[in-house]
Every structure is written in structure tokens, then in C-alpha cells.
Amino acid sequence: MCPHFSVVEVINRLMLRASGKPSIWERKTLPEKQPDGSKLKPDPVYWIPTAVAIIGFAFLWALTLLTYLLPPGEIYSNLFTGNLTRNQSIFLGVGTLLLSIEFGFARHLFCRFGCAVGLFQSLAWMANDKAMVVGFDIQRATDCNSCNNACDNACPMRLRPRTLKRKMFTCTECGECISACTKVEDRDHKQSLLRWVEGEDAKVVVTGRSSDSQREGQAGKPAGRR
């Protein structure tokens, strides 16, 4: 639903194809092996569509912002006929430049710390221990040994989905980590280690302690051999 996050995802994918990293701030390139088993090798040719996308989205956003200040009919007419006024041209030029910088270098930082809607959503989410969150099946944690951190690599916000909720303050709950884990586990005909949880089960992600239902289940199990 968020137009900015849609731009983030598009540019992330293009930059990943170009450099092997979804962001220039990433320290290391991501593994070539994808969750579905295929391989994605970086190709510098993709820097061209990446640059086109960054500048194109920036110009489109600047144009849209300008139509909030002046009648859209006037702006589009002047644009298509090549008769933009000096002030209109300056606005579009400066707006495109600033947004290109944001889309190219700081798009993740804006989503994580600059978006007012996302910030208040995160505050409300963190205040509710029972709110829906990505849960990790810690009982099967050893299955992660054969994976290349596909869930971490898939996260657009560059978070670690298997950590506690307080460390995922800026999670947008896009579900990309769950999708990645599902594809990895499908290859071995297993269920995903990540899934949506809420209520009492969500408290585990918040506190790191077992929920009441899990403790009851463990108490009802017969003791194993030692």
C-alpha cells in the first residue's frame, strides 16, 4: 500500500542484480544461491536500469508533488508542450535531484526512521505484546545450519527476522522473510521455520521466553531417556 516502499523494493531488486547487494551500504554481497535453489549472479549491465529507475521514480514523484501545488492540467499541459515556467522547471529539477539521492542512497533509512506513519505504527506495534509478528520455530533451529540466511537476505529493511521483537522495531511485516524460508524448506518438504504468530505465541518473540501453551505442552510430554 505504501508507494515509497514499492519504490524501495523495485530499486532493491535492480541493485541486487547489478551488484549482488540490495543497498550500497551492505558490507558484503549476498549469496548467489536464492531461496528456490536458483543462482543469481551480479551483472553490471543492470546498473543502467537501476539508474533509470532511480531518476525516473524521482522525476515522477517531483511531478506529482508539483501537481499538489499547482493545477495538474496546467502542469501536464506545460510539460507535454515544453512550456514549463522557470519556477516549475526549477522545482522539478531540484525535486528530481533530491529524490534521486534519497532513492539511491537513503531509501532504507527513510523507511526505518523518517516515515511518520511507519514510526507511529512501530510504536503501537511495540506497545502490544500480543500483536501479530514473525515468529521463529526455535525447536528446529538446527535446520538453519544448512541455509545461507535466506530470511535475513530477503528482508528489505535489512533486519534479522529470527531475533526478538525489540530488535525488529522497524519491521514493516512485509512477509518476505517468511516467503524465503518457505521456499528453502519446501525443497526438503518441510514447513517454514518462520510464520505469523499473535496472542500468547507472540509474547515469545517479545520476551524470548516460552509461552503458556508451550510450557503446558512440554509439561505433558513424557521424560526422554538420559
Side-chain angles (χ1 to χ4, degrees), residues 2-191:
C2 175
H4 185 272
F5 195 72
S6 298
V7 172
V8 170
E9 290 186 304
V10 171
I11 297 177
N12 276 9
R13 293 192 183 99
L14 288 172
M15 197 168 287
L16 181 63
R17 295 296 300 271
S19 65
K21 301 188 294 183
S23 167
I24 62 173
W25 305 117
E26 198 80 9
R27 294 181 180 180
K28 299 179 180 179
T29 57
L30 301 186
E32 293 183 359
K33 188 176 182 180
Q34 302 301 298
D36 59 2
S38 63
K39 288 191 175 182
L40 178 64
K41 294 185 177 181
D43 187 348
V45 172
Y46 277 90
W47 278 116
I48 297 176
T50 300
V52 171
I54 291 174
I55 297 174
F57 279 124
F59 177 78
L60 179 62
W61 276 48
L63 180 63
T64 303
L65 290 174
L66 184 57
T67 60
Y68 275 92
L69 303 176
L70 298 172
E74 174 187 341
I75 299 303
Y76 290 123
S77 177
N78 290 351
L79 179 65
F80 293 133
T81 58
N83 293 319
L84 289 171
T85 66
R86 179 175 179 274
N87 289 338
Q88 292 171 358
S89 298
I90 292 176
F91 185 96
L92 287 176
V94 174
T96 299
L97 175 62
L98 295 178
L99 287 167
S100 294
I101 294 174
E102 197 273 328
F103 289 152
F105 301 96
R107 59 188 182 280
H108 301 93
L109 297 176
F110 177 84
C111 284
R112 295 180 67 174
F113 308 111
C115 175
V117 175
L119 177 61
F120 283 106
Q121 175 181 306
S122 295
L123 290 174
W125 177 56
M126 292 293 289
N128 184 1
D129 291 348
K130 296 184 178 181
M132 186 176 69
V133 65
V134 176
F136 174 57
D137 187 356
I138 195 171
Q139 302 298 328
R140 296 171 52 209
T142 54
D143 288 357
C144 294
N145 294 335
S146 59
C147 179
N148 60 3
N149 296 325
C151 57
D152 295 356
N153 300 334
C155 178
M157 294 296 99
R158 316 314 302 142
L159 304 175
R160 300 183 183 278
R162 290 167 288 175
T163 57
L164 297 180
K165 183 176 180 178
R166 63 174 177 268
K167 295 183 180 181
M168 297 190 293
F169 174 76
T170 54
C171 175
T172 60
E173 300 191 38
C174 65
E176 290 292 334
C177 55
I178 297 178
S179 178
C181 186
T182 299
K183 292 178 181 178
V184 172
E185 294 302 306
D186 274 349
R187 301 205 304 268
D188 294 328
H189 307 289
K190 296 180 180 180
Q191 292 185 343

Side-chain angles (χ1 to χ4, degrees), residues 201-221:
D201 290 334
K203 284 188 174 182
V204 180
V205 186
V206 179
T207 64
R209 298 190 296 270
S210 299
S211 64
D212 295 337
S213 60
Q214 289 177 325
R215 286 194 292 269
E216 291 175 0
Q218 292 173 354
K221 292 181 180 179

